[in-house]
Amino acid sequence: MKSGVIKWALFGAGVLFGTAGIKLLSSKDAKKVYTHCTAATLRAKESIMKGATTLKANCDDIYAEAKKINEERAAKEAELGEE
């Protein structure tokens, strides 16, 4: 009998807590906090995307330079091989 009462009390407390939580999370103040957090996330995303673009450009430059070095090296080796 005692465990049945405890289970119902816990269930009731969970319902009460859940209802209060929904009210709290849907309040104007909470929405304002969510909006500010979302705005900060968007700013962080912009910053990361700028960094990624710069990194990609640098990687492309490195790749092109490495290709050029290998082509020059192959040309020198071919030149030496013909002599």
Side-chain angles (χ1 to χ4, degrees):
M1 172 91 168
K2 189 175 183 180
S3 66
V5 172
I6 292 175
K7 287 180 183 178
W8 279 107
L10 288 174
F11 175 75
V15 170
L16 183 64
F17 182 74
T19 303
I22 290 171
K23 290 283 187 183
L24 179 68
L25 294 175
S26 63
S27 71
K28 285 184 182 182
D29 290 336
K31 287 180 184 177
K32 190 174 183 179
V33 169
Y34 304 150
T35 303
H36 283 282
C37 288
T38 303
T41 302
L42 290 173
R43 286 191 302 271
K45 178 187 169 201
E46 277 184 40
S47 176
I48 290 168
M49 292 307 291
K50 284 179 186 178
T53 301
T54 302
L55 179 63
K56 184 179 181 328
N58 288 340
C59 288
D60 289 343
D61 292 344
I62 290 168
Y63 178 74
E65 190 68 29
K67 252 178 111 171
K68 182 180 173 187
I69 289 170
N70 282 340
E71 288 170 359
E72 290 172 356
R73 185 175 183 164
K76 283 183 184 178
E77 287 176 0
E79 190 177 292
L80 291 174
E82 289 177 7
E83 293 177 3

